[in-house]
Amino acid sequence: MKYLSTRGSKANSFKEILFSGIAEDGGLFVPEKWPSIGINDIDSNISYMDLALKILSPFIGSEISTDNLKKIILDAYQDSFSVNDLVSFKKLNKNEVIVELFNGPTLAFKDFAMQLLIPIFDYFLIQENKKINLIVATSGDTGAAAINAVKKSKNISIYCLFPKDRISNFQRRQMSTVNEHNINLCEIDGTFDDCQKIVKSILNDQEFSKKFSISAVNSINWTRIMIQSVYYYFSFLKLANDGFNKINFSVPTGNFGDVYAGFVAYKMGLPINKLIVATNENDILHRFFNTGEYKINNVSKTSSPSMDIQVASNFERLLFELLGRSGNSTKDKMNDLDKNGAININKEELKIANEIFLSGKTEMDVVNTIINQVFNSSKYLLDPHTAVGLNASRKYNDSSHLNCILATASPIKFSETVERAVDESLTLLKGYDYLFQSKEKYVELNNNVNEVKDQISNKNL
Ligand SMILES: *Cc1c(COP(=O)(O)O)cnc(C)c1O
């Protein structure tokens, strides 16, 4: 498989795009064409890991042999998740299912990608006897997932940037209590978007990033996206038997990575009816799917912090598709965004987007109501992100399709919000005392790219 940049430049191998993260022309990598994987050819009893092998193979091609890829997948997943098939399902009623993606070591769906992505990096690094530095901005969950996966690696160090006071205590402690020497955690006095900007600016400084062998594991990393497509197929195989031939997926959305992975599955042939982009108060994507205007506002702080994002990095990949895969048109639109803080698409293009994408916005008071209702009616605890997803799904009240809501995090990670919503104290944190007793380790930095660069260069002298 070869990959293109969304801004036009051509033909990179899987390994090249894995390590470079972002294209030299500033665009994001996408496959040259979509492989076709029919659902009817797959046995519905297939294990998650065998399915992953099937879905990922065409994107990697001969660059990793089937036997090696199979082994990498097994090693990555078999002991790190708390359920055998990684995903678990909770039926709320006849046509509503919660797809639990939080059975990994850090209790959010980011583990699916990180537990496998890091060993794929390692596979190539070990072959060439090389070391790299990873850099990542986190709105809370990516950092923990990346740190958990990297701490086992001998070839990889990580620099993780998180926004001050904008992630939960649990989330911060999941990162700051990991003591391995290859883990570097930086608190940035700014928002997630500021952290993301610093990462982009470091990656765009070719001289610096070459010198320190820097790669990125943010959600713009193509490998993360393709790995996430697997659970859309898996959910379909396990759920679409009782009378439903198409599925809606509602996806709590921030950086547009997870729901875009659903779009990739759709492009490969998975019979998805609609992908519902569920946002909180940070509704740039909701506004886009309703008006065709993608316009940056200020970031609001909410009870679903992993979605407190305005600049949805993966949006460029969708734009590229909507503009007929034209690199030049995509580049022009992205320049509009830099110049005017907004992108507009025309009615025709919006219509194409709405054939597959719908959206819903849910504010904090409604999040609390939904958590409370579901707890009382079904004795089931939603985390605030998943509540945003469920509410967006219910807005469409579609009873002719199965409605799957991706549960992106465990309620344990957001116990304060959840307990307030159900107005009861629960024992969610039982078993996590170690997180709250261990000493925390991180540096406090200003919102300034040079301070982060100093951290990297000082440690790599
Ligand atoms: C990262 C995250 C999201 C948003 O996913 P994107 O791929 O950035 O759209 C939603 N919920 C939780 C819990 C997350 O950690």
Side-chain angles (χ1 to χ4, degrees):
M1 175 71 75
K2 292 280 187 213
Y3 290 83
L4 322 167
S5 158
T6 50
R7 303 196 189 173
S9 61
K10 269 211 177 44
N12 292 274
S13 68
F14 173 73
K15 186 178 149 193
E16 281 167 336
I17 67 148
L18 173 68
F19 281 91
S20 48
I22 195 163
E24 273 185 29
D25 60 12
L28 309 188
F29 293 114
V30 286
E32 203 168 41
K33 56 178 192 292
W34 299 110
S36 151
I37 301 183
I39 197 77
N40 296 327
D41 305 336
I42 309 175
D43 180 348
S44 64
N45 289 322
I46 193 168
S47 75
Y48 192 92
M49 288 173 247
D50 285 345
L51 180 65
L53 181 64
K54 205 175 183 75
I55 306 288
L56 301 182
S57 291
F59 290 111
I60 298 173
S62 58
E63 293 178 65
I64 303 178
S65 73
T66 306
D67 283 351
N68 282 333
L69 184 58
K70 187 171 182 172
K71 184 169 183 312
I72 294 170
I73 293 171
L74 274 178
D75 289 349
Y77 282 152
Q78 68 185 350
D79 296 325
S80 55
F81 281 66
S82 60
V83 300
N84 279 344
D85 262 335
L86 286 69
V87 183
S88 45
F89 302 100
K90 165 75 186 178
K91 205 158 192 168
L92 288 184
N93 57 55
K94 197 172 131 299
N95 68 346
E96 212 169 55
V97 180
I98 304 287
V99 178
E100 296 178 335
L101 301 177
F102 50 72
N103 299 308
T106 68
L107 311 180
F109 81 94
K110 305 288 200 307
D111 286 324
F112 278 85
M114 288 303 173
Q115 289 293 319
L116 184 52
L117 170 63
I118 299 301
I120 293 177
F121 270 114
D122 264 335
Y123 171 81
F124 289 114
L125 290 169
I126 290 166
Q127 270 186 345
E128 295 173 19
N129 195 19
K130 278 194 182 142
K131 290 192 187 328
I132 55 168
N133 288 302
L134 292 180
I135 181 160
V136 65
T138 182
S139 58
D141 295 323
T142 304
I147 285 172
N148 185 286
V150 168
K151 72 181 184 194
K152 297 168 245 174
S153 171
K154 292 194 168 58
N155 306 286
I156 303 175
S157 293
I158 190 164
Y159 293 81
C160 178
L161 280 46
F162 73 91
K164 183 176 178 177
D165 295 336
R166 285 172 185 265
I167 64 176
S168 77
N169 280 334
F170 190 97
Q171 287 177 312
R172 190 189 65 246
R173 286 179 168 276
Q174 273 188 320
M175 301 189 283
S176 61
T177 57
V178 177
N179 233 327
E180 270 76 355
H181 71 281
N182 58 339
I183 306 299
N184 304 278
L185 185 61
C186 307
E187 177 192 77
I188 303 294
D189 193 0
T191 65
F192 170 73
D193 287 331
D194 294 324
C195 297
Q196 191 157 252
K197 238 187 240 157
I198 292 176
V199 169
K200 275 198 176 160
S201 140
I202 291 178
L203 291 172
N204 284 331
D205 182 342
Q206 309 250 341
E207 194 186 333
F208 186 87
S209 59
K210 258 215 180 83
K211 182 168 174 201
F212 294 108
S213 305
I214 292 177
S215 289
V217 289
N218 269 84
S219 71
I220 52 171
N221 184 300
W222 165 258
T223 309
R224 281 182 60 183
I225 305 281
M226 73 179 196
I227 293 171
Q228 289 169 201
S229 298
V230 178
Y231 47 70
Y232 287 88
Y233 269 86
F234 188 77
S235 302
F236 192 97
L237 287 163
K238 301 299 163 184
L239 297 172
N241 35 23
D242 21 303
F244 298 103
N245 55 8
K246 281 196 172 183
I247 288 188
N248 297 320
F249 285 98
S250 181
V251 187
T253 295
N255 243 327
F256 201 67
D258 203 8
V259 71
Y260 174 76
F263 179 75
V264 170
Y266 167 76
K267 282 289 185 189
M268 287 192 282
L270 187 68
I272 296 175
N273 180 55
K274 295 287 181 196
L275 291 164
I276 300 168
V277 177
T279 76
N280 62 23
E281 283 84 341
N282 298 289
D283 62 348
I284 182 167
L285 290 165
H286 175 60
R287 286 183 279 116
F288 172 75
F289 286 111
N290 282 280
T291 66
E293 183 183 54
Y294 181 86
K295 184 165 186 280
I296 297 174
N297 282 349
N298 292 327
V299 184
S300 319
K301 198 168 152 176
T302 76
S303 59
S304 44
S306 304
M307 311 196 298
D308 290 349
I309 293 171
Q310 278 292 322
V311 188
S313 309
N314 280 291
F315 177 72
E316 182 168 344
R317 288 190 161 109
L318 175 66
L319 196 60
F320 178 70
E321 300 294 332
L322 296 177
L323 301 174
R325 297 200 131 212
S326 158
N328 281 333
S329 311
T330 308
K331 196 185 325 179
D332 289 346
K333 295 279 186 202
M334 293 310 292
N335 286 340
D336 291 348
L337 185 66
D338 280 344
K339 268 205 306 268
N340 314 320
I343 291 175
N344 283 283
I345 60 168
N346 65 35
K347 283 219 162 65
E348 263 318 294
E349 290 155 350
L350 180 60
K351 210 173 130 210
I352 297 172
N354 287 145
E355 279 169 14
I356 179 74
F357 287 105
L358 300 174
S359 67
K361 166 187 182 175
T362 306
E363 300 191 356
M364 280 190 277
D365 53 337
V366 180
V367 166
N368 288 340
T369 310
I370 289 269
I371 293 174
N372 189 295
Q373 270 175 4
V374 172
F375 185 65
N376 286 315
S377 62
S378 310
K379 285 283 156 266
Y380 186 74
L381 261 187
L382 298 165
D383 102 285
H385 304 77
T386 310
V388 167
L390 180 60
N391 190 51
S393 171
R394 287 185 171 173
K395 172 178 152 190
Y396 291 99
N397 197 18
D398 177 358
S399 56
S400 55
H401 297 97
L402 185 64
N403 296 291
C404 291
I405 296 91
L406 300 194
T408 48
S410 159
I412 293 171
K413 294 192 99 160
F414 304 95
S415 57
E416 289 154 38
T417 304
V418 173
E419 290 187 354
R420 217 175 304 124
V422 301
D423 200 17
E424 228 175 89
S425 66
L426 308 163
T427 49
L428 292 177
L429 294 178
K430 217 174 133 209
Y432 291 94
D433 292 347
Y434 66 93
L435 274 188
F436 292 88
Q437 284 154 9
S438 308
K439 205 167 135 55
E440 292 191 83
K441 189 182 103 181
Y442 58 88
V443 294
E444 298 164 34
L445 304 180
N446 292 309
N447 176 15
N448 179 331
V449 60
N450 290 322
E451 294 191 17
V452 177
K453 282 183 171 171
D454 285 346
Q455 290 293 320
I456 299 173
S457 32
N458 289 339
K459 202 148 174 196
N460 288 275
L461 281 177

